[in-house]
Amino acid sequence: SQQGEEDPQALSIQEGENATMNCSYKTSINNLQWYRQNSGRGLVHLILIRSNEREKHSGRLRVTLDTSKKSSSLLITASRAADTASYFCATESGGYNKLIFGAGTRLAVHP
Amino acid sequence: DGGITQSPKYLFRKEGQNVTLSCEQNLNHDAMYWYRQDPGQGLRLIYYSQIVNDFQKGDIAEGYSVSREKKESFPLTVTSAQKNPTAFYLCASSRTRTGAESPLHFGNGTRLTVT
């Protein structure tokens, strides 16, 4: 079973609006990562947040982590059409040296 | 530019044939990974390698094989034993041997179609 599950599955917004995606996971983690995937391409790493961090920023991206609720959120502010992509959260799996990915949120930003 | 190269981008095979997907990296990363992605789903780990001449099975290794004879290369063979091989295959690498401690760098994938 997948460790991380994103919500919503799909999100459609207008340029300039903010987009929020959520990720829930089941077991304790050391860190959580967010990735972006453009259609037909590989994934690109966006942010890594460690379990002792609550919030992290990178440009227009803001990630929060709530380990008590086993959840994380990715906020994209002032979205652009170029932000259209699928976004995945990934967590480590029970101490093994591998990441477990959720099914992703498909974001569509309309001009 | 450093990165991961997967080839070919598209691959077509007849059922019953083995096929090998190429993955090369020039990032000097220790660890390499193969993931499979099906439409509308997340990535599932097939195999991973933390060091040359060593590799471990992931969650869906059945019907696949790998080798890691060189640090730069981690080819994946999809054998005829894989029941549903049509998928998008992604290769990745990470600087440290523990993937969860450093980000993964991905290639642009190989789309395999078996008929």
Side-chain angles (χ1 to χ4, degrees), chain A residues 6-13 17-23 34 60-64 72-79 87 105-109:
Chain A
E6 291 89 346
D7 170 61
Q9 291 185 337
L11 183 59
S12 182
I13 60 174
E17 294 180 340
N18 295 344
T20 299
M21 289 156 269
N22 303 297
C23 170
W34 284 92
R60 293 183 296 112
L61 307 180
R62 180 173 77 102
V63 168
T64 62
S72 173
S73 67
L74 170 66
L75 168 68
I76 304 174
T77 59
S79 63
Y87 292 83
T105 292
R106 294 187 310 280
L107 173 65
V109 182

Side-chain angles (χ1 to χ4, degrees), chain A residues 6 9-10 15 50 56 60 81 94 99 102:
Chain A
E6 291 89 346
Q9 291 185 337
E15 255 188 339
R50 301 193 187 280
K56 207 161 182 180
R60 293 183 296 112
L99 293 179

Side-chain angles (χ1 to χ4, degrees), chain A residues 27-48:
Chain A
T27 62
S28 60
I29 60 172
N30 287 331
N31 67 61
L32 183 145
Q33 302 179 34
W34 284 92
Y35 288 81
R36 163 195 169 124
Q37 182 181 33
N38 286 75
S39 181
R41 309 277 289 186
L43 280 70
V44 175
H45 178 259
L46 297 176
I47 288 184
L48 182 154

Side-chain angles (χ1 to χ4, degrees), chain A residues 58-109:
Chain A
S58 176
R60 293 183 296 112
L61 307 180
R62 180 173 77 102
V63 168
T64 62
L65 179 65
D66 186 335
T67 53
S68 66
K69 295 182 179 177
K70 291 187 170 58
S71 68
S72 173
S73 67
L74 170 66
L75 168 68
I76 304 174
T77 59
S79 63
R80 305 166 182 168
D83 294 328
T84 294
S86 291
Y87 292 83
F88 295 88
C89 67
T91 59
E92 63 176 331
S93 173
Y96 294 105
N97 297 337
K98 56 186 182 181
L99 293 179
I100 303 294
F101 288 81
T105 292
R106 294 187 310 280
L107 173 65
V109 182

Side-chain angles (χ1 to χ4, degrees), chain B residues 62-78:
Chain B
E62 185 175 349
Y64 299 98
S65 66
V66 293
S67 63
R68 186 86 187 274
E69 297 176 1
K70 299 186 299 181
K71 188 175 185 178
E72 306 78 31
S73 179
F74 191 42
L76 173 74
T77 297
V78 184

